Amino acid sequence: MEEIQRIPELKRFEPGYRGIIFDLDDTLYNEIDYIRSGYHAVAEEYPDKEGLAELLWEAYTKGQKAFDTVFPAVGLEQDDIMKAVRIYRDHFPSLTLSSEVYEYVVSLRKTHRIGIITDGRPEGQRQKIQALGLDRIFSWDDIIITDELGGISFRKPNPAAYKMLQERWGLPFREMLYVGDNPAKDFIAPQQLGMGAVRIMNKEGVYWNRS
């Protein structure tokens, strides 16, 4: 498995592949931006709780369960925690795709098949994709949210999503490359299938320091 620091560094691998598949969270954007966005959405529902978003973020950075830690401390009840979780999960996030990622994938689609395989709740993942404008770059036919295939059992490292894109594109696995960040699940199926694998070492990502 190869390692890169930034998405545009994939350019040196392009000649060996005809199809390139990306993970979403912490690969095409930083997931911490989604977390921050969610906390701000929750804070907007409690305008009388000054600095709530910042308190939630501080708890998260300390490895605590943010809502369970902060809400009781500011006088909010269990029902408010349940409401906050719903708001967080359902909010349309404030996210921006970086210019270097945008320019790279727009250029890449001129010469390669490109797709996304991502785990997670379908509504939330779709909202992330739309907020980032990725639905205007990637075809929805080439975006697979694994939970939509039949539940969490289809999440990576289940190979089903990779096989679906391989059949859709009509490419041999050896001409397909997967780009992700999480060594615990992202690269198992691609390597078993004979695909290429590149890990982006995102220092702002949840899994960047895992081996």
mmCIF file with all atom_site columns, all heavy atoms in Angstrom, residues 102-124:
data_model
loop_
_atom_site.group_PDB
_atom_site.id
_atom_site.type_symbol
_atom_site.label_atom_id
_atom_site.label_alt_id
_atom_site.label_comp_id
_atom_site.label_asym_id
_atom_site.label_entity_id
_atom_site.label_seq_id
_atom_site.pdbx_PDB_ins_code
_atom_site.Cartn_x
_atom_site.Cartn_y
_atom_site.Cartn_z
_atom_site.occupancy
_atom_site.B_iso_or_equiv
_atom_site.pdbx_formal_charge
_atom_site.auth_seq_id
_atom_site.auth_comp_id
_atom_site.auth_asym_id
_atom_site.auth_atom_id
_atom_site.pdbx_PDB_model_num
ATOM 1   N N   . TYR A 1 102 ? -10.932 19.776 -5.532  1.00 0.00 ? 102 TYR A N   1
ATOM 2   C CA  . TYR A 1 102 ? -11.870 20.043 -6.620  1.00 0.00 ? 102 TYR A CA  1
ATOM 3   C C   . TYR A 1 102 ? -11.165 20.019 -7.971  1.00 0.00 ? 102 TYR A C   1
ATOM 4   O O   . TYR A 1 102 ? -11.607 19.337 -8.908  1.00 0.00 ? 102 TYR A O   1
ATOM 5   C CB  . TYR A 1 102 ? -12.544 21.395 -6.406  1.00 0.00 ? 102 TYR A CB  1
ATOM 6   C CG  . TYR A 1 102 ? -13.395 21.833 -7.579  1.00 0.00 ? 102 TYR A CG  1
ATOM 7   C CD1 . TYR A 1 102 ? -14.696 21.365 -7.736  1.00 0.00 ? 102 TYR A CD1 1
ATOM 8   C CD2 . TYR A 1 102 ? -12.881 22.707 -8.546  1.00 0.00 ? 102 TYR A CD2 1
ATOM 9   C CE1 . TYR A 1 102 ? -15.466 21.748 -8.824  1.00 0.00 ? 102 TYR A CE1 1
ATOM 10  C CE2 . TYR A 1 102 ? -13.651 23.091 -9.639  1.00 0.00 ? 102 TYR A CE2 1
ATOM 11  C CZ  . TYR A 1 102 ? -14.946 22.610 -9.765  1.00 0.00 ? 102 TYR A CZ  1
ATOM 12  O OH  . TYR A 1 102 ? -15.696 22.987 -10.845 1.00 0.00 ? 102 TYR A OH  1
ATOM 13  N N   . GLU A 1 103 ? -10.094 20.762 -8.086  1.00 0.00 ? 103 GLU A N   1
ATOM 14  C CA  . GLU A 1 103 ? -9.390  20.852 -9.364  1.00 0.00 ? 103 GLU A CA  1
ATOM 15  C C   . GLU A 1 103 ? -8.830  19.497 -9.781  1.00 0.00 ? 103 GLU A C   1
ATOM 16  O O   . GLU A 1 103 ? -8.850  19.152 -10.967 1.00 0.00 ? 103 GLU A O   1
ATOM 17  C CB  . GLU A 1 103 ? -8.274  21.886 -9.267  1.00 0.00 ? 103 GLU A CB  1
ATOM 18  C CG  . GLU A 1 103 ? -8.799  23.315 -9.143  1.00 0.00 ? 103 GLU A CG  1
ATOM 19  C CD  . GLU A 1 103 ? -7.715  24.308 -8.765  1.00 0.00 ? 103 GLU A CD  1
ATOM 20  O OE1 . GLU A 1 103 ? -6.531  23.889 -8.679  1.00 0.00 ? 103 GLU A OE1 1
ATOM 21  O OE2 . GLU A 1 103 ? -8.049  25.480 -8.537  1.00 0.00 ? 103 GLU A OE2 1
ATOM 22  N N   . TYR A 1 104 ? -8.367  18.712 -8.809  1.00 0.00 ? 104 TYR A N   1
ATOM 23  C CA  . TYR A 1 104 ? -7.786  17.419 -9.157  1.00 0.00 ? 104 TYR A CA  1
ATOM 24  C C   . TYR A 1 104 ? -8.846  16.460 -9.680  1.00 0.00 ? 104 TYR A C   1
ATOM 25  O O   . TYR A 1 104 ? -8.665  15.839 -10.728 1.00 0.00 ? 104 TYR A O   1
ATOM 26  C CB  . TYR A 1 104 ? -7.060  16.799 -7.965  1.00 0.00 ? 104 TYR A CB  1
ATOM 27  C CG  . TYR A 1 104 ? -6.519  15.432 -8.315  1.00 0.00 ? 104 TYR A CG  1
ATOM 28  C CD1 . TYR A 1 104 ? -5.385  15.305 -9.100  1.00 0.00 ? 104 TYR A CD1 1
ATOM 29  C CD2 . TYR A 1 104 ? -7.183  14.274 -7.925  1.00 0.00 ? 104 TYR A CD2 1
ATOM 30  C CE1 . TYR A 1 104 ? -4.901  14.063 -9.478  1.00 0.00 ? 104 TYR A CE1 1
ATOM 31  C CE2 . TYR A 1 104 ? -6.709  13.028 -8.293  1.00 0.00 ? 104 TYR A CE2 1
ATOM 32  C CZ  . TYR A 1 104 ? -5.564  12.929 -9.073  1.00 0.00 ? 104 TYR A CZ  1
ATOM 33  O OH  . TYR A 1 104 ? -5.111  11.701 -9.459  1.00 0.00 ? 104 TYR A OH  1
ATOM 34  N N   . VAL A 1 105 ? -9.956  16.307 -8.954  1.00 0.00 ? 105 VAL A N   1
ATOM 35  C CA  . VAL A 1 105 ? -10.944 15.307 -9.371  1.00 0.00 ? 105 VAL A CA  1
ATOM 36  C C   . VAL A 1 105 ? -11.648 15.732 -10.659 1.00 0.00 ? 105 VAL A C   1
ATOM 37  O O   . VAL A 1 105 ? -12.010 14.876 -11.484 1.00 0.00 ? 105 VAL A O   1
ATOM 38  C CB  . VAL A 1 105 ? -11.961 14.990 -8.255  1.00 0.00 ? 105 VAL A CB  1
ATOM 39  C CG1 . VAL A 1 105 ? -11.276 14.303 -7.093  1.00 0.00 ? 105 VAL A CG1 1
ATOM 40  C CG2 . VAL A 1 105 ? -12.704 16.226 -7.790  1.00 0.00 ? 105 VAL A CG2 1
ATOM 41  N N   . VAL A 1 106 ? -11.847 17.035 -10.858 1.00 0.00 ? 106 VAL A N   1
ATOM 42  C CA  . VAL A 1 106 ? -12.445 17.501 -12.111 1.00 0.00 ? 106 VAL A CA  1
ATOM 43  C C   . VAL A 1 106 ? -11.529 17.159 -13.283 1.00 0.00 ? 106 VAL A C   1
ATOM 44  O O   . VAL A 1 106 ? -11.988 16.722 -14.351 1.00 0.00 ? 106 VAL A O   1
ATOM 45  C CB  . VAL A 1 106 ? -12.730 19.020 -12.059 1.00 0.00 ? 106 VAL A CB  1
ATOM 46  C CG1 . VAL A 1 106 ? -13.029 19.561 -13.452 1.00 0.00 ? 106 VAL A CG1 1
ATOM 47  C CG2 . VAL A 1 106 ? -13.906 19.297 -11.132 1.00 0.00 ? 106 VAL A CG2 1
ATOM 48  N N   . SER A 1 107 ? -10.225 17.333 -13.084 1.00 0.00 ? 107 SER A N   1
ATOM 49  C CA  . SER A 1 107 ? -9.270  16.981 -14.129 1.00 0.00 ? 107 SER A CA  1
ATOM 50  C C   . SER A 1 107 ? -9.209  15.468 -14.326 1.00 0.00 ? 107 SER A C   1
ATOM 51  O O   . SER A 1 107 ? -9.158  14.975 -15.465 1.00 0.00 ? 107 SER A O   1
ATOM 52  C CB  . SER A 1 107 ? -7.886  17.527 -13.775 1.00 0.00 ? 107 SER A CB  1
ATOM 53  O OG  . SER A 1 107 ? -6.922  17.114 -14.720 1.00 0.00 ? 107 SER A OG  1
ATOM 54  N N   . LEU A 1 108 ? -9.246  14.718 -13.224 1.00 0.00 ? 108 LEU A N   1
ATOM 55  C CA  . LEU A 1 108 ? -9.114  13.260 -13.285 1.00 0.00 ? 108 LEU A CA  1
ATOM 56  C C   . LEU A 1 108 ? -10.256 12.617 -14.063 1.00 0.00 ? 108 LEU A C   1
ATOM 57  O O   . LEU A 1 108 ? -10.047 11.641 -14.792 1.00 0.00 ? 108 LEU A O   1
ATOM 58  C CB  . LEU A 1 108 ? -9.058  12.697 -11.863 1.00 0.00 ? 108 LEU A CB  1
ATOM 59  C CG  . LEU A 1 108 ? -8.859  11.184 -11.726 1.00 0.00 ? 108 LEU A CG  1
ATOM 60  C CD1 . LEU A 1 108 ? -7.483  10.781 -12.244 1.00 0.00 ? 108 LEU A CD1 1
ATOM 61  C CD2 . LEU A 1 108 ? -9.020  10.760 -10.265 1.00 0.00 ? 108 LEU A CD2 1
ATOM 62  N N   . ARG A 1 109 ? -11.453 13.149 -13.927 1.00 0.00 ? 109 ARG A N   1
ATOM 63  C CA  . ARG A 1 109 ? -12.602 12.507 -14.572 1.00 0.00 ? 109 ARG A CA  1
ATOM 64  C C   . ARG A 1 109 ? -12.539 12.591 -16.103 1.00 0.00 ? 109 ARG A C   1
ATOM 65  O O   . ARG A 1 109 ? -13.288 11.897 -16.777 1.00 0.00 ? 109 ARG A O   1
ATOM 66  C CB  . ARG A 1 109 ? -13.904 13.127 -14.068 1.00 0.00 ? 109 ARG A CB  1
ATOM 67  C CG  . ARG A 1 109 ? -14.172 14.542 -14.557 1.00 0.00 ? 109 ARG A CG  1
ATOM 68  C CD  . ARG A 1 109 ? -15.479 15.078 -14.046 1.00 0.00 ? 109 ARG A CD  1
ATOM 69  N NE  . ARG A 1 109 ? -15.698 16.441 -14.507 1.00 0.00 ? 109 ARG A NE  1
ATOM 70  C CZ  . ARG A 1 109 ? -16.772 17.156 -14.221 1.00 0.00 ? 109 ARG A CZ  1
ATOM 71  N NH1 . ARG A 1 109 ? -17.731 16.648 -13.463 1.00 0.00 ? 109 ARG A NH1 1
ATOM 72  N NH2 . ARG A 1 109 ? -16.901 18.398 -14.681 1.00 0.00 ? 109 ARG A NH2 1
ATOM 73  N N   . LYS A 1 110 ? -11.649 13.428 -16.628 1.00 0.00 ? 110 LYS A N   1
ATOM 74  C CA  . LYS A 1 110 ? -11.491 13.523 -18.074 1.00 0.00 ? 110 LYS A CA  1
ATOM 75  C C   . LYS A 1 110 ? -10.764 12.306 -18.644 1.00 0.00 ? 110 LYS A C   1
ATOM 76  O O   . LYS A 1 110 ? -10.912 11.987 -19.823 1.00 0.00 ? 110 LYS A O   1
ATOM 77  C CB  . LYS A 1 110 ? -10.716 14.791 -18.440 1.00 0.00 ? 110 LYS A CB  1
ATOM 78  C CG  . LYS A 1 110 ? -11.407 16.084 -18.038 1.00 0.00 ? 110 LYS A CG  1
ATOM 79  C CD  . LYS A 1 110 ? -10.514 17.279 -18.322 1.00 0.00 ? 110 LYS A CD  1
ATOM 80  C CE  . LYS A 1 110 ? -11.164 18.574 -17.870 1.00 0.00 ? 110 LYS A CE  1
ATOM 81  N NZ  . LYS A 1 110 ? -10.257 19.744 -18.078 1.00 0.00 ? 110 LYS A NZ  1
ATOM 82  N N   . THR A 1 111 ? -9.987  11.624 -17.799 1.00 0.00 ? 111 THR A N   1
ATOM 83  C CA  . THR A 1 111 ? -9.160  10.515 -18.280 1.00 0.00 ? 111 THR A CA  1
ATOM 84  C C   . THR A 1 111 ? -9.445  9.193  -17.589 1.00 0.00 ? 111 THR A C   1
ATOM 85  O O   . THR A 1 111 ? -8.994  8.144  -18.062 1.00 0.00 ? 111 THR A O   1
ATOM 86  C CB  . THR A 1 111 ? -7.673  10.844 -18.076 1.00 0.00 ? 111 THR A CB  1
ATOM 87  O OG1 . THR A 1 111 ? -7.438  11.143 -16.685 1.00 0.00 ? 111 THR A OG1 1
ATOM 88  C CG2 . THR A 1 111 ? -7.262  12.045 -18.926 1.00 0.00 ? 111 THR A CG2 1
ATOM 89  N N   . HIS A 1 112 ? -10.185 9.222  -16.461 1.00 0.00 ? 112 HIS A N   1
ATOM 90  C CA  . HIS A 1 112 ? -10.416 8.021  -15.670 1.00 0.00 ? 112 HIS A CA  1
ATOM 91  C C   . HIS A 1 112 ? -11.890 7.912  -15.277 1.00 0.00 ? 112 HIS A C   1
ATOM 92  O O   . HIS A 1 112 ? -12.596 8.924  -15.205 1.00 0.00 ? 112 HIS A O   1
ATOM 93  C CB  . HIS A 1 112 ? -9.581  8.044  -14.386 1.00 0.00 ? 112 HIS A CB  1
ATOM 94  C CG  . HIS A 1 112 ? -8.109  7.899  -14.589 1.00 0.00 ? 112 HIS A CG  1
ATOM 95  N ND1 . HIS A 1 112 ? -7.332  8.855  -15.213 1.00 0.00 ? 112 HIS A ND1 1
ATOM 96  C CD2 . HIS A 1 112 ? -7.257  6.896  -14.241 1.00 0.00 ? 112 HIS A CD2 1
ATOM 97  C CE1 . HIS A 1 112 ? -6.078  8.448  -15.231 1.00 0.00 ? 112 HIS A CE1 1
ATOM 98  N NE2 . HIS A 1 112 ? -6.003  7.266  -14.648 1.00 0.00 ? 112 HIS A NE2 1
ATOM 99  N N   . ARG A 1 113 ? -12.325 6.703  -14.986 1.00 0.00 ? 113 ARG A N   1
ATOM 100 C CA  . ARG A 1 113 ? -13.583 6.509  -14.278 1.00 0.00 ? 113 ARG A CA  1
ATOM 101 C C   . ARG A 1 113 ? -13.322 6.834  -12.816 1.00 0.00 ? 113 ARG A C   1
ATOM 102 O O   . ARG A 1 113 ? -12.303 6.418  -12.248 1.00 0.00 ? 113 ARG A O   1
ATOM 103 C CB  . ARG A 1 113 ? -14.080 5.068  -14.414 1.00 0.00 ? 113 ARG A CB  1
ATOM 104 C CG  . ARG A 1 113 ? -14.359 4.615  -15.823 1.00 0.00 ? 113 ARG A CG  1
ATOM 105 C CD  . ARG A 1 113 ? -15.481 5.399  -16.472 1.00 0.00 ? 113 ARG A CD  1
ATOM 106 N NE  . ARG A 1 113 ? -16.750 5.273  -15.776 1.00 0.00 ? 113 ARG A NE  1
ATOM 107 C CZ  . ARG A 1 113 ? -17.709 4.383  -16.091 1.00 0.00 ? 113 ARG A CZ  1
ATOM 108 N NH1 . ARG A 1 113 ? -17.504 3.522  -17.083 1.00 0.00 ? 113 ARG A NH1 1
ATOM 109 N NH2 . ARG A 1 113 ? -18.854 4.360  -15.416 1.00 0.00 ? 113 ARG A NH2 1
ATOM 110 N N   . ILE A 1 114 ? -14.209 7.577  -12.193 1.00 0.00 ? 114 ILE A N   1
ATOM 111 C CA  . ILE A 1 114 ? -14.029 7.941  -10.783 1.00 0.00 ? 114 ILE A CA  1
ATOM 112 C C   . ILE A 1 114 ? -15.297 7.630  -10.008 1.00 0.00 ? 114 ILE A C   1
ATOM 113 O O   . ILE A 1 114 ? -16.415 7.764  -10.516 1.00 0.00 ? 114 ILE A O   1
ATOM 114 C CB  . ILE A 1 114 ? -13.635 9.421  -10.587 1.00 0.00 ? 114 ILE A CB  1
ATOM 115 C CG1 . ILE A 1 114 ? -14.702 10.366 -11.173 1.00 0.00 ? 114 ILE A CG1 1
ATOM 116 C CG2 . ILE A 1 114 ? -12.266 9.695  -11.195 1.00 0.00 ? 114 ILE A CG2 1
ATOM 117 C CD1 . ILE A 1 114 ? -14.455 11.842 -10.828 1.00 0.00 ? 114 ILE A CD1 1
ATOM 118 N N   . GLY A 1 115 ? -15.115 7.168  -8.783  1.00 0.00 ? 115 GLY A N   1
ATOM 119 C CA  . GLY A 1 115 ? -16.249 6.819  -7.948  1.00 0.00 ? 115 GLY A CA  1
ATOM 120 C C   . GLY A 1 115 ? -15.944 7.049  -6.480  1.00 0.00 ? 115 GLY A C   1
ATOM 121 O O   . GLY A 1 115 ? -14.823 7.408  -6.101  1.00 0.00 ? 115 GLY A O   1
ATOM 122 N N   . ILE A 1 116 ? -16.958 6.852  -5.656  1.00 0.00 ? 116 ILE A N   1
ATOM 123 C CA  . ILE A 1 116 ? -16.849 6.996  -4.202  1.00 0.00 ? 116 ILE A CA  1
ATOM 124 C C   . ILE A 1 116 ? -17.498 5.780  -3.554  1.00 0.00 ? 116 ILE A C   1
ATOM 125 O O   . ILE A 1 116 ? -18.594 5.366  -3.952  1.00 0.00 ? 116 ILE A O   1
ATOM 126 C CB  . ILE A 1 116 ? -17.555 8.274  -3.702  1.00 0.00 ? 116 ILE A CB  1
ATOM 127 C CG1 . ILE A 1 116 ? -16.863 9.529  -4.232  1.00 0.00 ? 116 ILE A CG1 1
ATOM 128 C CG2 . ILE A 1 116 ? -17.591 8.307  -2.169  1.00 0.00 ? 116 ILE A CG2 1
ATOM 129 C CD1 . ILE A 1 116 ? -17.619 10.816 -3.929  1.00 0.00 ? 116 ILE A CD1 1
ATOM 130 N N   . ILE A 1 117 ? -16.834 5.190  -2.580  1.00 0.00 ? 117 ILE A N   1
ATOM 131 C CA  . ILE A 1 117 ? -17.426 4.172  -1.712  1.00 0.00 ? 117 ILE A CA  1
ATOM 132 C C   . ILE A 1 117 ? -17.294 4.677  -0.280  1.00 0.00 ? 117 ILE A C   1
ATOM 133 O O   . ILE A 1 117 ? -16.180 4.930  0.196   1.00 0.00 ? 117 ILE A O   1
ATOM 134 C CB  . ILE A 1 117 ? -16.745 2.806  -1.867  1.00 0.00 ? 117 ILE A CB  1
ATOM 135 C CG1 . ILE A 1 117 ? -16.981 2.235  -3.268  1.00 0.00 ? 117 ILE A CG1 1
ATOM 136 C CG2 . ILE A 1 117 ? -17.261 1.832  -0.805  1.00 0.00 ? 117 ILE A CG2 1
ATOM 137 C CD1 . ILE A 1 117 ? -16.279 0.914  -3.525  1.00 0.00 ? 117 ILE A CD1 1
ATOM 138 N N   . THR A 1 118 ? -18.421 4.827  0.399   1.00 0.00 ? 118 THR A N   1
ATOM 139 C CA  . THR A 1 118 ? -18.400 5.371  1.741   1.00 0.00 ? 118 THR A CA  1
ATOM 140 C C   . THR A 1 118 ? -19.388 4.639  2.634   1.00 0.00 ? 118 THR A C   1
ATOM 141 O O   . THR A 1 118 ? -20.450 4.211  2.183   1.00 0.00 ? 118 THR A O   1
ATOM 142 C CB  . THR A 1 118 ? -18.729 6.884  1.731   1.00 0.00 ? 118 THR A CB  1
ATOM 143 O OG1 . THR A 1 118 ? -18.716 7.395  3.065   1.00 0.00 ? 118 THR A OG1 1
ATOM 144 C CG2 . THR A 1 118 ? -20.090 7.159  1.122   1.00 0.00 ? 118 THR A CG2 1
ATOM 145 N N   . ASP A 1 119 ? -19.030 4.474  3.893   1.00 0.00 ? 119 ASP A N   1
ATOM 146 C CA  . ASP A 1 119 ? -19.911 3.896  4.899   1.00 0.00 ? 119 ASP A CA  1
ATOM 147 C C   . ASP A 1 119 ? -20.683 5.014  5.588   1.00 0.00 ? 119 ASP A C   1
ATOM 148 O O   . ASP A 1 119 ? -20.299 6.175  5.549   1.00 0.00 ? 119 ASP A O   1
ATOM 149 C CB  . ASP A 1 119 ? -19.105 3.148  5.960   1.00 0.00 ? 119 ASP A CB  1
ATOM 150 C CG  . ASP A 1 119 ? -18.358 1.945  5.406   1.00 0.00 ? 119 ASP A CG  1
ATOM 151 O OD1 . ASP A 1 119 ? -18.775 1.413  4.362   1.00 0.00 ? 119 ASP A OD1 1
ATOM 152 O OD2 . ASP A 1 119 ? -17.368 1.534  6.035   1.00 0.00 ? 119 ASP A OD2 1
ATOM 153 N N   . GLY A 1 120 ? -21.753 4.622  6.271   1.00 0.00 ? 120 GLY A N   1
ATOM 154 C CA  . GLY A 1 120 ? -22.461 5.589  7.101   1.00 0.00 ? 120 GLY A CA  1
ATOM 155 C C   . GLY A 1 120 ? -23.946 5.667  6.788   1.00 0.00 ? 120 GLY A C   1
ATOM 156 O O   . GLY A 1 120 ? -24.439 5.063  5.831   1.00 0.00 ? 120 GLY A O   1
ATOM 157 N N   . ARG A 1 121 ? -24.658 6.426  7.621   1.00 0.00 ? 121 ARG A N   1
ATOM 158 C CA  . ARG A 1 121 ? -26.094 6.591  7.413   1.00 0.00 ? 121 ARG A CA  1
ATOM 159 C C   . ARG A 1 121 ? -26.324 7.247  6.045   1.00 0.00 ? 121 ARG A C   1
ATOM 160 O O   . ARG A 1 121 ? -25.752 8.292  5.744   1.00 0.00 ? 121 ARG A O   1
ATOM 161 C CB  . ARG A 1 121 ? -26.689 7.478  8.501   1.00 0.00 ? 121 ARG A CB  1
ATOM 162 C CG  . ARG A 1 121 ? -26.660 6.905  9.907   1.00 0.00 ? 121 ARG A CG  1
ATOM 163 C CD  . ARG A 1 121 ? -27.267 7.865  10.915  1.00 0.00 ? 121 ARG A CD  1
ATOM 164 N NE  . ARG A 1 121 ? -26.640 9.176  10.847  1.00 0.00 ? 121 ARG A NE  1
ATOM 165 C CZ  . ARG A 1 121 ? -27.182 10.237 10.272  1.00 0.00 ? 121 ARG A CZ  1
ATOM 166 N NH1 . ARG A 1 121 ? -28.380 10.160 9.722   1.00 0.00 ? 121 ARG A NH1 1
ATOM 167 N NH2 . ARG A 1 121 ? -26.547 11.390 10.257  1.00 0.00 ? 121 ARG A NH2 1
ATOM 168 N N   . PRO A 1 122 ? -27.155 6.661  5.202   1.00 0.00 ? 122 PRO A N   1
ATOM 169 C CA  . PRO A 1 122 ? -27.317 7.172  3.844   1.00 0.00 ? 122 PRO A CA  1
ATOM 170 C C   . PRO A 1 122 ? -27.696 8.644  3.768   1.00 0.00 ? 122 PRO A C   1
ATOM 171 O O   . PRO A 1 122 ? -27.121 9.391  2.976   1.00 0.00 ? 122 PRO A O   1
ATOM 172 C CB  . PRO A 1 122 ? -28.421 6.278  3.273   1.00 0.00 ? 122 PRO A CB  1
ATOM 173 C CG  . PRO A 1 122 ? -28.230 4.972  3.980   1.00 0.00 ? 122 PRO A CG  1
ATOM 174 C CD  . PRO A 1 122 ? -27.852 5.362  5.380   1.00 0.00 ? 122 PRO A CD  1
ATOM 175 N N   . GLU A 1 123 ? -28.662 9.084  4.578   1.00 0.00 ? 123 GLU A N   1
ATOM 176 C CA  . GLU A 1 123 ? -29.085 10.482 4.490   1.00 0.00 ? 123 GLU A CA  1
ATOM 177 C C   . GLU A 1 123 ? -27.938 11.424 4.828   1.00 0.00 ? 123 GLU A C   1
ATOM 178 O O   . GLU A 1 123 ? -27.697 12.418 4.136   1.00 0.00 ? 123 GLU A O   1
ATOM 179 C CB  . GLU A 1 123 ? -30.263 10.744 5.430   1.00 0.00 ? 123 GLU A CB  1
ATOM 180 C CG  . GLU A 1 123 ? -30.784 12.181 5.332   1.00 0.00 ? 123 GLU A CG  1
ATOM 181 C CD  . GLU A 1 123 ? -31.980 12.431 6.237   1.00 0.00 ? 123 GLU A CD  1
ATOM 182 O OE1 . GLU A 1 123 ? -32.515 11.470 6.816   1.00 0.00 ? 123 GLU A OE1 1
ATOM 183 O OE2 . GLU A 1 123 ? -32.375 13.604 6.354   1.00 0.00 ? 123 GLU A OE2 1
ATOM 184 N N   . GLY A 1 124 ? -27.215 11.096 5.878   1.00 0.00 ? 124 GLY A N   1
ATOM 185 C CA  . GLY A 1 124 ? -26.092 11.945 6.278   1.00 0.00 ? 124 GLY A CA  1
ATOM 186 C C   . GLY A 1 124 ? -24.996 11.974 5.241   1.00 0.00 ? 124 GLY A C   1
ATOM 187 O O   . GLY A 1 124 ? -24.436 13.034 4.932   1.00 0.00 ? 124 GLY A O   1
#
